[in-house]
Amino acid sequence: HIVELKQANIPGLIRKHRNHLVVCDEVHEAVSQAMNYLLSLDEQRAQILTTLGIDARRASATIVIGHTDFAEGFTAEEVHETIRTYNSHLSRIEVITFDELIDGAHRSLDFSL
């Protein structure tokens, strides 16, 4: 599993485009970067399997980018819904914000106690 960490303070993490909200160019670039990492893993699958004994066929990636505190003019719900919609069209790659990552960690810790 690939984890790509980007900055938390991303100005314009989402923006209005016509009548909808869309993610910014930095999100698209991060997804393209993760796609290239996955492509490299796919292309080197046989060597990775032989050398390390790891089957990279099912590799996936998570991109952690932005934080709702820096999304001026938009609510946390609008940011998360926009990214959720964006994710629904991706395969093997998930985009989350730092606050979603932290919230998920807190929930995991609460659940385990």
Side-chain angles (χ1 to χ4, degrees), residues 45-56:
R45 181 183 160 274
Q47 181 182 358
I48 293 169
L49 184 61
T50 301
T51 306
L52 303 173
I54 298 170
D55 188 353

Side-chain angles (χ1 to χ4, degrees), residues 15-113:
R15 63 181 171 83
K16 193 150 181 96
H17 178 73
R18 298 188 180 134
N19 294 326
H20 302 283
L21 297 176
V22 297
V23 297
C24 67
D25 291 342
E26 285 86 349
V27 174
H28 292 294
E29 289 173 8
V31 168
S32 293
Q33 183 180 12
M35 288 169 60
N36 287 330
Y37 292 155
L38 291 170
L39 175 63
S40 292
L41 283 175
D42 291 344
E43 289 175 344
Q44 297 174 33
R45 181 183 160 274
Q47 181 182 358
I48 293 169
L49 184 61
T50 301
T51 306
L52 303 173
I54 298 170
D55 188 353
R57 259 191 309 202
R58 293 192 168 96
S60 58
T62 299
I63 299 164
V64 185
I65 186 169
H67 193 291
T68 57
D69 286 352
F70 301 112
E72 293 182 19
F74 299 101
T75 66
E77 185 177 318
E78 288 173 317
V79 171
H80 294 149
E81 183 62 30
T82 302
I83 292 175
R84 206 172 9 258
T85 300
Y86 184 76
N87 280 333
S88 71
H89 295 83
L90 299 177
S91 177
R92 297 174 65 188
I93 299 172
E94 179 184 22
V95 178
I96 64 171
T97 61
F98 277 90
D99 49 305
E100 287 177 302
L101 175 68
I102 293 166
D103 185 51
H106 281 262
R107 282 194 314 268
S108 293
L109 288 173
D110 290 342
F111 184 71
S112 67
L113 297 176

